[in-house]
Amino acid sequence: MLPPRNPFLLKALAAYQDENPAQAVEWCDWIAADSPEAAFADHLRGQALRALGQPDKAAEALVSAVKHTLGSGQDDDDVLAERVRDTAEALSDAGQDARALALLMDVLPQISASPLLASLWAQAACLAIPQRDWTSAEQAVARAMALAPQDQAAWTALGSLRLRRDDPVGALEAFDHALTLLPPSAEAHLQTALLAARGAALFDCGRYQQALDCYNHALPLVPDDACLRMNRAAALLVQGDFAAGWHDLEFRWQITSFQRRYRAAEAPLWDGRLHPDDTLLVCNEQAFGDALMMARCLPELARRFGGRVVVECHPPLQRLFATLPGVAEVIPHGSQSPEYQWHCPLMSLPRLLEITATTVPPAACLTPPPPTARIPDGNGPAIGLSWGGRPQPRDRSVPFADLWATVRQAAGAHPVRWVCLQADERRNEASGIDGLWMPPAPQDFADSAAVMAQLDWVISIDSAVLHLAGAIGTPCAALLLAGADWRYGLPVPAAVCGSPWYRQMPLFRQPALDDWPGALAALGEWLKAACARDDAGTLT
């Protein structure tokens, strides 16, 4: 585009090019909002503010530049595309991804031609996918592919969309094609992002070693890339390399989404030593299932620390975590903490305690309260069922109708007292089912534990229900995806106990991607044999 004519803008541009963004902002401030060159001034001001590390102010200036550009009609599509690109990036830097997506979806249809257009549509897709805005994501991917069928960014966006829509095979095909389009001279961060995405698709396909090879290939390019290290941690842990896996897992603290989950530490990280006169604050920064699985580390932590251990957890876990041996106090997440001299994230405990695949502490560590709702009396074992989990980061749910048909057929004429353990709205799928007892909706995990403690067995997908069963010592059988999470180890034959975290838990993994019928068939055979042996009224 042509250089500005306004002398203040000329000075601002010269200051910016001389790497003096603060002076550039001062000169830009002399330009009136109704000036014909207001769009240029706002864009330059925004870029200078980005250079000064002021993302919020930068985003507002750049948004104003786009509005002025659209309103004036003086600039061509190339200029508008550049300003939209910079504005979307600034909004993302300011943590306003939803606003960045809205801007792109609104303005891009108004740009008829620009070399940047395909990559901007791909950028829109990459913003829409984490927000689960599948309509915008699919539209953006289609526009990018139509404009540039051999554009690497478009194929990468397509792979990302397929991966998040639980199509890892399709994602892998897209990522592999994107790699063929990536020139050898491509920047390291582009190569790394593609290799990391390809590794994630391989992991979800259950091809763990190939995923690890992919991450290891990318690692020399950017050894400190936090997302790559996080992904590699899972590939290491699933194969039992706990020392390297725990080390890579610590890179999560360089990712903004993890930083936001954790209170600002007011004391140093625990050094692993005995401190009988101090207080240690342990904070949970991840999901319910992770907290329940790692609770087993807290008694050993209390023993090694020697002082007062305070645990911060999500409120639904508070009442149950108060039963942990060695824990002096449990506080709800986000509340005022007592004075403490040391802190530790809960998921960092395995590294600090130097836990290996052969030294994982026993799962059972929590004590359920006395039940307020009693399972109905009757003959045969009491078996709880849980079939639905959160759809993100991956949907691990099995259709209730398929699970119910499997277990009823396997039990045959043997009496079984079936109990619904589903706590969310999907419990409605089992409402009114004859032969399935529906306890009152739990208010927290202690309520769920009180029901679960009365059971002889639990059958669950990979969810917090499964980890709760392990934490209170109720036997559990797991239904797993083909590319199951790292905590279940490498694939083993159906009904074999292959997880170092739950050594007595039979695992029923999908034989192939999306093959729930295969996993359910294996579960049915196991349950049929167990019921046939059940002469004493308890599953063996």
Side-chain angles (χ1 to χ4, degrees), residues 18-85:
D18 289 339
E19 299 184 359
N20 187 353
Q23 185 65 62
V25 171
E26 291 183 17
W27 285 118
C28 285
D29 288 343
W30 284 86
I31 308 302
D34 59 353
S35 165
E37 295 183 306
F40 190 106
D42 283 340
H43 184 259
L44 183 56
R45 180 189 292 109
Q47 292 293 73
L49 288 166
R50 289 180 74 187
L52 290 170
Q54 300 179 37
D56 293 316
K57 291 182 178 180
E60 295 310 316
L62 289 165
V63 167
S64 178
V66 171
K67 289 180 179 178
H68 278 117
T69 304
L70 290 169
S72 68
Q74 296 177 348
D75 296 300
D76 58 25
D77 279 359
D78 288 346
V79 172
L80 178 58
E82 290 178 5
R83 289 176 179 168
V84 169
R85 175 199 60 196

Side-chain angles (χ1 to χ4, degrees), residues 68-336:
H68 278 117
T69 304
L70 290 169
S72 68
Q74 296 177 348
D75 296 300
D76 58 25
D77 279 359
D78 288 346
V79 172
L80 178 58
E82 290 178 5
R83 289 176 179 168
V84 169
R85 175 199 60 196
D86 295 340
T87 305
E89 291 176 354
L91 287 166
S92 290
D93 291 344
Q96 302 181 50
D97 284 350
R99 196 175 170 198
L101 174 61
L103 173 81
L104 290 169
M105 298 303 294
D106 179 52
V107 178
L108 292 187
Q110 304 179 52
I111 302 176
S112 57
S114 169
L116 294 175
L117 196 51
S119 62
L120 286 173
W121 279 114
Q123 183 181 1
C126 291
L127 286 168
I129 291 166
Q131 299 176 48
R132 298 179 57 78
D133 184 348
W134 305 129
T135 301
S136 296
E138 289 170 0
Q139 178 188 348
V141 167
R143 296 292 290 267
M145 296 289 287
L147 286 165
Q150 296 304 312
D151 182 71
Q152 172 266 321
W155 279 93
T156 300
L158 175 62
S160 299
L161 177 59
R162 287 175 172 175
L163 187 61
R164 292 297 291 269
R165 298 304 299 269
D166 292 326
D167 179 14
V169 173
L172 190 57
E173 293 174 353
F175 292 139
D176 283 344
H177 189 67
L179 281 169
T180 67
L181 300 172
L182 195 67
S185 59
E187 296 179 12
H189 74 91
L190 289 177
Q191 298 183 52
T192 303
L194 253 178
L195 288 169
R198 184 175 186 273
L202 286 165
F203 191 98
D204 285 359
C205 289
R207 295 158 64 179
Y208 301 119
Q209 183 57 54
Q210 289 176 276
L212 181 58
D213 292 342
C214 205
Y215 300 140
N216 287 337
H217 182 63
L219 197 61
L221 299 173
V222 279
D224 294 326
D225 184 273
C227 290
L228 176 62
R229 289 280 192 166
M230 277 283 293
N231 286 350
R232 195 176 82 129
L236 290 164
L237 291 169
V238 76
Q239 300 190 70
D241 189 350
F242 279 21
W246 302 137
H247 175 267
D248 276 8
L249 192 62
E250 290 302 304
F251 279 81
R252 68 190 185 278
W253 299 116
Q254 298 179 23
I255 300 174
T256 303
S257 59
F258 277 88
Q259 295 169 359
R260 290 172 179 165
R261 300 177 193 176
Y262 198 75
R263 68 165 64 230
E266 300 172 359
L269 181 68
W270 177 51
D271 59 2
R273 298 181 180 179
L274 190 70
H275 297 280
D277 299 323
D278 291 346
T279 295
L280 168 66
L281 179 64
V282 181
C283 301
N284 176 42
E285 85 278 4
Q286 296 195 33
F288 294 131
D290 298 291
L292 288 163
M293 189 180 92
M294 289 301 171
R296 70 187 76 197
C297 298
L298 290 166
E300 177 63 14
L301 167 68
R303 186 186 71 79
R304 294 197 195 183
F305 181 68
R308 191 168 186 267
V309 174
V310 177
V311 176
E312 179 190 56
C313 67
H314 298 298
L317 291 168
Q318 186 178 359
R319 191 157 59 106
L320 195 56
F321 269 40
T323 68
L324 277 163
V327 171
E329 184 179 359
V330 180
I331 61 174
H333 182 77
S335 64
Q336 179 67 38

Side-chain angles (χ1 to χ4, degrees), residues 413-455:
H414 297 277
V416 175
R417 289 169 293 155
W418 301 104
V419 177
C420 173
L421 295 178
Q422 198 66 34
D424 60 13
E425 67 278 357
R426 270 169 294 194
R427 64 192 271 121
N428 295 330
E429 298 172 16
S431 179
I433 296 291
D434 185 38
L436 178 66
W437 182 62
M438 186 79 65
Q443 300 302 305
D444 62 5
F445 279 92
D447 285 346
S448 296
V451 171
M452 197 178 291
Q454 304 173 64
L455 300 174

